[in-house]
Amino acid sequence: MPYTADKPGSTPDPDVLRARIPGWGSDLDPADRPAFPREQPDIVTGAHWELPEQQPGGAGRERSIEHERLTPVFGTAQPLHGASGAIRRFAYDRFSEGQTAHWLLLVLGDRVDAVTAHAASLFSTRPDDPITESGVAGEVAHRPIASRFGRGRIDLKHAWLDPILVVGPWVLASVLAVKLVRAVFLPAAKRGKK
Amino acid sequence: MKAMTYRGPYKVRVEEKPDPTIQHPNDAIVRVELAAICGSDLHLYHGMLPDTRVGHTFGHEFIGRVEQVGPSVQNLKVGDRVMVPFNIFCGSCFFCARGLFSNCHNVNANATAVGGIYGYSHTAGGYDGGQAELVRVPFADVGPAVIPDGVNPEDALLLTDAFSTGYFGAQLADIVEGDTAVVFGAGPIGLAAARSCWLMGAGRVIVVDYLDYRLRKAEEFAFAETINFGQVNDIVLELKKQTGGLGADVVIDAVGAEADGHVLQHVTSAKLKLQGGSPVALNWAIDSVRKAGTISVMGAYGPLFSAVKFGDAMNKGVTMRMNQAPVKRQWPRLLEHIAAGHITPSEMITHRIPLEHIAEGYHIFSSKLDDIIKPVITVA
């Protein structure tokens, strides 16, 4: 097929589009688009300060080392604590956001956080409940079969992998833990015995 | 108060948490009436975003009534019914002063690359979100706005992120009259982007997804042509055929980190977290946009690297634009569109779920059951 200077295909008729689609072309002019130009000097924001007051209580609060100081406002949702907190603090204190190690340590901290929180919950008045917390009970009233099968869903092609990827690391970690405990507490002579 | 809390990947529950308090003179406390689960909340739910801590309350799309204000708050009063943009921003830093609210430098101590976002892990500042009875709203004089009389609360809710972000995605695509726009993803952002492309004068809008029920919604809500990429051998080739061999003028990635369509990419990113996100949709965008075309990225990706086909993007002279949406800048124009009857964002809502049942809501949304497109959480 030869390519010419013209755009292939027929040009849509604006009147037809306008009749068919509510509001067609009402923002054709870029000036009608709210974030144009990208940067607008002198924009009114509602701020009545040049520099916001500093939120108190920031001592010990982790921050990216790319910031020169703690930001004037910061979140206080879940302060660092325990083993996951130590991992996360190391990630923040040692590595900039440009370092892969920064992010991988934070992901590690997340997994440690999840495991330790689950373990701790077993000693609380409200232990984790995999049935209610996974929301799997919602399957019953929301067409689990009709939603998944006979519809060509491509995610079903790799759904079989999910349990392996989710459960696999737990099985692997359990095996390693058992081996470690045996190595530490069982004399070498007894380890080989059935 | 009651709040949704994260318990680890694929696990959430509702529990009693201490009520939020005023921690800065310009804080407000908002009693939430409606919240939503966003597709990007699923990235948190699936354990994809670093520094998502057990106990965190998600939810960056919410509306409610002002319950309490800090001593320096001037623009809001107790009892005002407000919509709250998902961005937390100060209004006075280098970026805010230029209208780049999503890039505020004064609200996220944990990172400089991203601004503050409610309920979006400590990577986005460590603020609890709105899937709760009460939420702390920093910089109350800057972010929230009173919902105008006559505006449906569910329409207002969808302006706090989903529709505003879709509209912004179309805007970043720099559409000119008659352009052919391809939108990858028929979730709420993709639907809103597709609908918005028409407002900006597109001549054709094609939405790509693999779920037929979402594509039907794209036809009804966004008047779009649709392609189910699971039913064609090669989606890039199909799009080239449909555009006379040149490719689309603009492509919008409304998929992001958990893109399906390539098992290896999906497993290494969504499952094993070895990439900041599956680049499938982004790579398809690079391949299917025409030379010197524009790609707008609204899909959320994590901070780690992803295997993006940057060489092709360079050789084609592609312009790539992306950002978190500066939501509040979109509101005046979008409220005009709602008043004029051009758009009704709440038409995207398919499920209304009480806060007490939010674990089921996350599971249904994550598993794409029951033809779900946009779940709303009723709190009040």
Side-chain angles (χ1 to χ4, degrees):
Chain A
M1 180 180 79
Y3 298 109
T4 68
D6 297 323
K7 187 174 175 176
S10 57
T11 306
D13 183 333
D15 289 333
V16 171
L17 290 171
R18 200 172 281 114
R20 184 166 74 88
I21 295 161
W24 182 85
S26 51
D27 292 345
L28 250 175
D29 182 352
D32 287 331
R33 301 174 191 175
F36 176 87
R38 187 167 64 104
E39 297 185 15
Q40 287 183 5
D42 307 320
I43 197 164
V44 175
T45 68
H48 42 84
W49 49 80
E50 286 189 15
L51 180 67
E53 286 184 59
Q54 179 63 47
Q55 179 179 330
R61 211 284 188 186
E62 79 284 358
R63 65 176 169 86
S64 166
I65 56 175
E66 295 183 27
H67 278 305
E68 292 178 351
R69 46 164 277 192
L70 191 64
T71 51
V73 159
F74 52 88
T76 55
Q78 282 75 42
L80 296 176
H81 69 281
S84 63
I87 294 167
R88 286 163 169 152
R89 186 170 295 285
F90 179 64
Y92 280 109
D93 288 350
R94 176 67 181 79
F95 299 104
S96 77
E97 296 162 56
Q99 299 289 321
T100 303
H102 175 81
W103 302 110
L104 292 178
L105 280 167
L106 290 177
V107 170
L108 175 66
D110 289 354
R111 300 299 169 261
V112 170
D113 191 12
V115 171
T116 53
H118 175 62
S121 81
L122 300 177
F123 301 95
S124 73
T125 56
R126 194 179 172 194
D128 280 324
D129 176 352
I131 303 296
T132 58
E133 291 176 11
S134 68
V136 71
E139 293 268 336
V140 177
H142 294 92
R143 301 191 294 146
I145 308 294
S147 296
R148 289 190 172 98
F149 300 103
R151 318 188 94 189
R153 284 180 58 156
I154 61 164
D155 53 342
L156 289 184
K157 291 180 182 173
H158 54 74
W160 61 272
L161 265 173
D162 295 352
I164 297 171
L165 294 170
V166 172
V167 178
W170 289 93
V171 172
L172 191 63
S174 302
V175 170
L176 290 175
V178 168
K179 282 185 176 293
L180 186 67
V181 169
R182 282 169 61 86
V184 171
F185 293 106
L186 278 184
K190 290 189 175 180
R191 268 180 250 155
K193 290 183 179 177
K194 298 279 182 185
Chain B
M1 67 162 181
K2 286 188 172 59
M4 163 272 178
T5 58
Y6 174 72
R7 296 295 304 172
Y10 295 89
K11 293 196 299 288
V12 302
R13 72 185 186 192
V14 175
E15 61 186 46
E16 285 290 333
K17 290 177 75 166
D19 288 356
T21 56
I22 301 286
Q23 298 182 39
H24 180 274
N26 211 249
D27 281 358
I29 305 298
V30 169
R31 182 167 290 279
V32 178
E33 294 180 342
L34 294 174
I37 306 177
C38 178
S40 52
D41 284 329
L42 296 180
H43 304 329
L44 300 170
Y45 178 68
H46 296 157
M48 286 201 71
L49 213 67
D51 212 358
T52 303
R53 302 182 187 177
V54 170
H56 199 52
T57 297
F58 299 168
H60 53 268
E61 298 176 293
F62 60 93
I63 64 167
R65 286 196 188 276
V66 176
E67 176 107 344
Q68 191 183 351
V69 293
S72 85
V73 174
Q74 300 175 3
N75 299 334
L76 291 182
K77 60 183 186 304
V78 172
D80 282 345
R81 193 182 214 187
V82 292
M83 47 189 189
V84 182
F86 78 82
N87 328 103
I88 300 168
F89 54 104
C90 73
S92 60
C93 70
F94 177 92
F95 302 104
C96 287
R98 288 158 177 78
L100 303 171
F101 301 149
S102 47
N103 304 115
C104 178
H105 222 48
N106 270 337
V107 291
N108 182 3
N110 297 67
T112 59
V114 63
I117 301 174
Y118 295 96
Y120 212 66
S121 94
H122 278 62
T123 304
Y127 298 91
D128 269 337
Q131 292 165 6
E133 291 180 317
L134 295 164
V135 61
R136 172 196 172 204
V137 173
F139 293 118
D141 280 333
V142 176
V146 174
I147 299 172
D149 290 339
V151 173
N152 177 335
E154 290 187 336
D155 283 331
L157 173 68
L158 293 195
L159 292 189
T160 63
D161 178 6
F163 204 96
S164 297
T165 294
Y167 183 87
F168 183 63
Q171 184 170 313
L172 286 192
D174 275 340
I175 291 166
V176 299
E177 184 173 338
D179 269 356
T180 295
V182 167
V183 179
F184 283 107
I189 306 294
L191 293 173
R195 183 69 180 262
S196 299
C197 287
W198 295 120
L199 298 174
M200 297 173 197
R204 285 180 77 188
V205 178
I206 303 170
V207 175
V208 178
D209 200 291
Y210 72 91
L211 292 163
D212 283 331
Y213 76 88
R214 301 213 305 183
L215 292 171
R216 277 199 306 278
K217 190 75 173 180
E219 291 164 4
E220 295 161 6
F221 175 80
F223 313 107
E225 301 169 52
T226 57
I227 301 176
N228 183 327
F229 72 77
Q231 293 173 6
V232 296
N233 282 331
D234 182 333
I235 184 61
V236 171
L237 185 60
E238 180 65 25
L239 288 166
K240 288 284 175 65
K241 283 179 180 172
Q242 294 212 13
T243 52
L246 301 191
D249 298 298
V250 302
V251 178
I252 299 171
D253 168 5
V255 180
E258 297 189 69
D260 226 316
H262 190 295
V263 170
L264 185 63
Q265 297 280 24
H266 183 77
V267 168
T268 56
S269 57
K271 301 303 178 195
L272 298 178
K273 284 80 178 171
L274 298 175
Q275 299 190 63
S278 162
V280 173
L282 195 50
N283 286 335
W284 283 351
I286 290 169
D287 285 329
S288 56
V289 74
R290 71 166 167 82
K291 292 170 190 170
T294 301
I295 295 172
S296 163
V297 183
M298 285 298 104
Y301 291 86
L304 283 171
F305 61 83
S306 295
V308 176
K309 298 179 69 176
F310 209 73
D312 282 353
M314 186 273 167
N315 283 319
K316 292 175 75 169
V318 168
T319 298
M320 299 179 78
R321 303 188 69 195
M322 64 214 82
N323 202 351
Q324 298 280 357
V327 164
K328 197 171 179 184
R329 274 177 81 174
Q330 322 300 315
W331 284 353
R333 186 64 173 155
L334 288 177
L335 288 168
E336 287 175 12
H337 282 309
I338 290 173
H342 296 162
I343 56 171
T344 309
S346 56
E347 288 174 358
M348 295 193 291
I349 297 170
T350 53
H351 289 67
R352 294 166 181 82
I353 298 163
L355 178 63
E356 288 74 15
H357 295 162
I358 198 166
E360 285 85 349
Y362 268 91
H363 178 76
I364 297 162
F365 198 28
S366 169
S367 303
K368 296 182 172 64
L369 303 182
D370 206 18
D371 290 0
I372 193 166
I373 287 179
K374 186 66 177 176
V376 164
I377 305 301
T378 53
V379 182

